[in-house]
Amino acid sequence: MKLGIGIGWRPEIADAVEALPGIDWVEAVAENLCADHLPASLVRLRERGVTVVPHGVSLGLGGADRPDPGRLAGLATRATLLGTPLVTEHIAFVRAGGTRTGSPVLEAGHLLPVPRTWAALDVLCENVRIAQDSLPVPLALENIAALISWPDEELTEGQFLAELVDRTGVRLLIDVANLHTNHVNRGEDPATALDELPVEAIAYVHVAGGVEKDGVWHDTHAHPVTAPVLGILAELRSRIAPPGVLLERDDDFPPAAELAGELDAIRATLDAGHGSRPRPDSGTPASRPSKTPAPPPAAPAGEAPSRETPSHAASEPLRDRVAVAQTSLLSALVAGTPAPEGFDLRRLGIQSRALAAKRADVVAKVAPELPEILGRDYRGVFLAYARNRPMSAGYRRDALDFAEQLLIAGRPADDAARRRLTHWWQDRAAPRPPRRTVRLVRAARSVLIGR
C-alpha cells in the first residue's frame, strides 16, 4: 500500500492543507471526528482522491484492561466513514485504576510508555488481537516518545516491536521524532532500534518537531522539524523506502509556506536516500538477525504464560500485576502519591508538570470560555486545581469539574465573572442545553448588569 507524502489534518490548518501542493494523503485524529459525518474540508479532500487515515489516541492498548468495546466500535465506524485503507493507534497506556486495583480510574490525558517486559508484551499482544478482530481494516501501531523509563526492562524498543509484530502481524507506524526523543531522554540509539525492528512491517512514518529544555526533549508537535530528526529519517530510508511519510503539527501552526518548506525537506531527505542499498541487517524477517533475549521460563498455572503458549493469552493475575504497576505510576504523576521504586524522581516531576500543562492547554481548547471568563488567572488557577484533582474522564468532563470546584470555593471573586461561570457550568452540566430564549435572557442580563 503506497501512501506517499502527507500531513496531519487539523481544523486550524484545514484550508492550508487543502491548498498545499503534492499532498497524497492526510491523517486525522479519530476522536476529533464525529461518527456520522465529516468536516467539509475532509469531504473535499476525499472527493479529490486524497486518502484520509484515522489516528486514534485513546484506546490505551498497552493498558492492563482489555480494549473498551465502545471505543473500538467508534474507531471502526470512523474507518468505515472515511473509507480508509488502515487505522492507527499507539503502543501506550492512557488510563489506569478501576476494578483491578480497587481504586478510582485515572486518566493521563496523554500517552504513557508501556514497560518493555515480557509480561507487558503478553498483555499488549492480546489487546492488539482484540482490536484487530474489531476493526474493518488493518491496524498499525506507533512507537511513542517518553520522558521516563521503567526500571528493570527486559527488552529494547526494537526487540519489543519485533516481538509484537511477530506475535500479532500488526503493522508499524514509526515516528522518527519519537526515536530522537527517546535518544535524548533515555539514551537509546535510534540506529540500533532501526536495526532491531522489522522495517518491512512499516505502514508509514511520522515526522514532527520538538524542543530541548534543560537536557530533556519535549515532543511538542509545535516546533519545526530539526536536523537530527531528518537524520533519523535518512537512516530509516537507507534501510527501506517507507510506503508513506507524514508531517505532524498540533499547535503554534506556522504559515502555509513554512509547512510546505518542511514537506520539501522531508521529500529531499527521502530523495537523497533513493537507490541506497539496504543495510545487511534489514530486509526480510528471516535475514534480520535475532537479537531478542530468550523469554523467562514458563510460569506456574495461573501466572504469566510462557512465550511458547500458542495464544499468548494474558492471564488475569498477570493483568492485575500490570494494573497495579501502571496505577502506581499514574497516581504518582497526577495525584501526588509516592513514586514507585526505581523511577527517576526528577524525570517523574518533569512528566507530572507536563501532564498538568497539557491538561490546561487542552481544556482551554475544548472550553475556550473558561480562559475568557478567568482571564490571565486561568492557567495558574487550573494548574493549582490539577495538582489535587486527577482527571477521571475526558477533557470535557475535566472542564466541567474544574468550573464546579471553582464555584464551590466561591470563585472567581468578581461577581460578574462568577455569574458567567455559573451559567456556563449550568448549560453544559444539564441533561439538555438551555433553550434559545434562556440564552438570550442571560446574555441581555449580562449586558445590563455589566460583565
Side-chain angles (χ1 to χ4, degrees):
M1 177 184 58
K2 179 72 171 177
L3 289 170
I5 299 296
I7 188 169
W9 182 91
R10 304 293 183 265
E12 298 89 338
I13 53 171
D15 292 342
V17 168
E18 287 188 63
L20 283 170
I23 295 298
D24 302 307
W25 66 292
V26 299
E27 180 191 78
V29 176
E31 288 80 356
N32 292 345
L33 301 177
C34 294
D36 56 354
H37 70 278
L38 296 175
S41 173
L42 287 182
V43 172
R44 290 191 293 269
L45 286 168
R46 290 187 69 238
E47 288 173 346
R48 284 166 38 188
V50 175
T51 297
V52 183
V53 173
H55 186 51
V57 298
S58 65
L59 277 184
L61 293 175
D65 290 319
R66 291 174 178 83
D68 177 75
R71 294 179 189 276
L72 282 174
L75 186 56
T77 298
R78 287 159 177 81
T80 300
L81 182 66
L82 289 166
T84 184
L86 80 164
V87 298
T88 58
E89 247 288 353
H90 299 82
I91 302 169
F93 78 99
V94 297
R95 63 189 63 86
T99 56
R100 289 187 181 278
T101 59
S103 61
V105 174
L106 300 175
E107 289 279 348
H110 191 64
L111 305 164
L112 293 176
V114 174
R116 297 174 194 153
T117 62
W118 294 106
L121 181 64
D122 285 339
V123 171
L124 173 64
C125 287
E126 185 179 353
N127 289 349
V128 168
R129 283 191 218 91
I130 293 170
Q132 290 171 316
D133 290 343
S134 304
L135 295 170
V137 293
L139 172 67
L141 295 181
E142 179 180 355
N143 59 304
I144 72 162
L147 287 170
I148 55 178
S149 298
W150 285 81
D152 303 321
E153 291 192 316
E154 299 165 325
L155 300 157
T156 66
E157 179 155 42
Q159 292 166 349
F160 194 83
L161 294 177
E163 281 287 324
L164 174 64
V165 170
D166 185 55
R167 292 189 185 191
T168 66
V170 76
R171 305 295 300 280
L172 294 177
L173 162 50
I174 294 300
D175 191 317
V176 292
N178 291 350
L179 291 178
H180 175 66
T181 301
N182 294 343
H183 170 63
V184 176
N185 293 346
R186 308 205 287 190
E188 299 170 358
D189 181 17
T192 299
L194 292 175
D195 285 343
E196 293 176 342
L197 66 83
V199 292
E200 69 282 350
I202 293 176
Y204 64 88
V205 174
H206 272 174
V207 180
V211 64
E212 186 172 350
K213 295 179 181 178
D214 300 325
V216 175
W217 187 267
H218 296 269
D219 179 48
T220 63
H221 292 194
H223 292 80
V225 176
T226 61
V229 170
L230 291 176
I232 299 173
L233 178 62
E235 278 277 351
L236 188 152
R237 179 63 184 88
S238 73
R239 293 158 170 79
I240 194 172
V245 179
L246 181 127
L247 173 66
E248 281 192 297
R249 187 81 177 215
D250 291 321
D251 209 346
D252 289 342
F253 299 101
E258 290 186 28
L259 293 173
E262 291 197 299
L263 288 165
D264 287 342
I266 289 171
R267 291 188 185 95
T269 300
L270 295 172
D271 290 343
H274 179 68
S276 59
R277 300 182 63 182
R279 295 165 62 103
D281 50 18
S282 66
T284 65
S287 67
R288 190 178 64 250
S290 175
K291 301 179 183 179
T292 305
E303 298 295 319
S306 73
R307 186 187 177 201
E308 285 72 26
T309 303
S311 66
H312 300 297
S315 67
E316 296 309 310
L318 174 58
R319 285 183 177 273
D320 290 345
R321 288 200 300 275
V322 171
V324 169
Q326 292 182 346
T327 303
S328 296
L329 173 59
L330 185 51
S331 181
L333 291 174
V334 301
T337 57
E341 187 176 353
F343 282 92
D344 184 318
L345 296 182
R346 173 177 172 270
R347 288 298 177 90
L348 286 182
I350 294 171
Q351 181 71 83
S352 178
R353 291 189 293 274
L355 291 177
K358 181 175 181 179
R359 279 177 71 184
D361 292 341
V362 178
V363 165
K365 285 185 177 181
V366 302
E369 301 88 352
L370 293 180
E372 178 187 339
I373 293 169
L374 298 175
R376 290 180 295 180
D377 292 337
Y378 164 75
R379 191 169 188 83
V381 172
F382 186 90
L383 292 177
Y385 155 83
R387 280 197 293 270
N388 302 310
R389 297 277 177 174
M391 187 163 60
S392 60
Y395 283 109
R396 287 177 175 80
R397 181 73 252 175
D398 202 23
L400 283 171
D401 291 345
F402 169 56
E404 183 179 28
Q405 290 304 311
L406 285 181
L407 293 172
I408 290 172
R411 303 175 69 183
D414 178 74
D415 289 342
R418 192 165 61 254
R419 279 193 299 271
R420 290 185 63 202
L421 185 61
T422 300
H423 293 155
W424 180 90
W425 181 84
Q426 290 173 337
D427 291 349
R428 284 151 185 82
R432 300 179 186 175
R435 296 178 183 178
R436 183 172 181 271
T437 53
V438 174
R439 296 198 304 270
L440 290 174
V441 168
R442 287 177 179 171
R445 185 180 299 156
S446 294
V447 172
L448 291 173
I449 296 174
R451 302 173 71 182

